[in-house]
Amino acid sequence: MTDRPDFAVEIHQNPYLPVDATQVHAIVRVTARTGRPPLPAVSAVSASASAARPSTAAEVIIIDTSASMAGERLVEAQQAAKAAVDALREDVDFAVVAGSRDAAMVYPRDVLLAPATDRGKEAAKVAISKLTAAGGTRIGRWLSLAAELFDDSRHGIRHAVLLTDGRNEHETAEELDAALTGCAGRFVCDCRGVGADWDPAELREVATRLLGRFAVVADPRHLTADFTEMIGRAMGKAVADVALRVWTPDKVTLQFLKQVYPARRDLTGKRIEVDPHGEGPATGDYPTGIWGTEKRDYHLCVTVPVGKPYQRMQAARVSVVVPGPDGEPEVTLAEAMVLAEWTDDKARSTGRHSSVEHYSRQEELADSLSEGLTAYRQGDDQTASSRLRRAHELAERTGSSGTSQRLDRVVARETGEVRPRQHVDAADLIALDTESSESALRPPGEPEDDAEPEPEVKPKADDDEGEG
């Protein structure tokens, strides 16, 4: 079992407000480390503590076996699934599920998890080799079977990987929504779309609701390396059901809480009231899933009452909490305060903290990409040109070279103008759409150590022919 990490919380903000200001912005950096001294706080009180309980782990591998997977895609998916099985630790329980119009157990045959012994892994790989492709796509049913498998409460780390190459055309949006509602909080799911026929919005919704990541693997030949890396990261997780607890004093209102690194996730609507009937200050939990050794950044915004010069207040307190063992009270692993202080000194109160400004621009970049691509697909070239031009400007300003390069495959730049290209590879559109939510950069000059690697967008090889 991996070492349980120590958690630390740092607050990056400019706490000084003009006398008429009421919004407080802060970047909340949560760091989980194993076997290293805790990082010092940057601009606020900081505390850290070891995670309080060991966890066992469970893994479910979900492979799309619908008719569109026939041929090379299924062969490569089988190899990837076998590699994923090989990458499992011996102390993990696992299962393999095939998904088409329904969900079916591949290994074991019964609806249960099996230990990842050498014998069990070999049996699973034999079963994977026998998969065939037929039928349609009902992702909600696949996820519901995974949830049933995870219902054994003794598993702390509950992680699934889902691979698909198509759209969820054989169940309604309402059916998928209901399945996601039933699965939320029961396990974390990372998603992969292979080829260029799937809908990024669908997998983004699955990954967002189930606190995972998603990426495109345009070339099926890259699946094995991607799955091996993805399972390797999952095997490095050590703490489950981690939540950010945000306390705000009376008359302070939380506007939003968004994860901004390593992937963008709006957590605002996921709030669970800690004391929903309490009459005192508000406290809410925001689920963040499973953690290993990594860093994540969150953008917090609260509204405070108008203050007077030199008045100071605690605008919010952010804590990292996990459930206690065997039904005991939750354990606080780290916490830090967000501050507000009013001043008539314009030099102090002018401008936001550089980290807040950096992530705000990245969010604008993501929104511009999303809006531009939506307009492009709808044939609205004027809006697409405007939004993608803005995206290009922001990508260059924030140093997002990968996004700039992908944009150049979708838009043409001539005499200062940016306009959509007439003929764009569907894989390039999907890669750019995926990047709009799944790729984020740390502020300039900050090290990337301890950060979980981002899912890499795997392009098609240049010598590939079109996929049918």
Side-chain angles (χ1 to χ4, degrees), residues 104-112 127 130:
M105 295 296 299
V106 177
Y107 180 84
R109 291 185 177 277
D110 296 326
V111 182
L112 51 82
K130 298 177 181 179

Side-chain angles (χ1 to χ4, degrees), residues 39 44 62 75 106 115 124 133 157 195 197 222 252 258 280 326 343 356 369 392 434-435 437 453 457 466:
L39 292 174
I62 307 171
V75 171
V106 177
I157 306 299
D197 300 323
H222 292 148
V252 173
K258 301 177 180 180
D326 301 323
T343 179
V356 174
L369 281 173
H392 219 299
T434 301
E435 183 143 0
S437 65
V457 176

Side-chain angles (χ1 to χ4, degrees), residues 61-63 77 80-81 83-84 87 161-163 192 222-232:
I61 301 166
I62 307 171
I63 302 298
V161 296
L162 184 153
L163 171 70
R192 292 295 184 266
H222 292 148
L223 281 172
T224 295
D226 183 82
F227 264 49
T228 301
E229 180 182 354
M230 184 165 42
I231 294 296

Side-chain angles (χ1 to χ4, degrees), residues 289-302:
I290 56 179
W291 283 68
T293 298
E294 58 190 287
K295 291 179 182 176
R296 302 185 197 178
D297 287 352
Y298 302 87
H299 186 175
L300 174 70
C301 177
V302 297

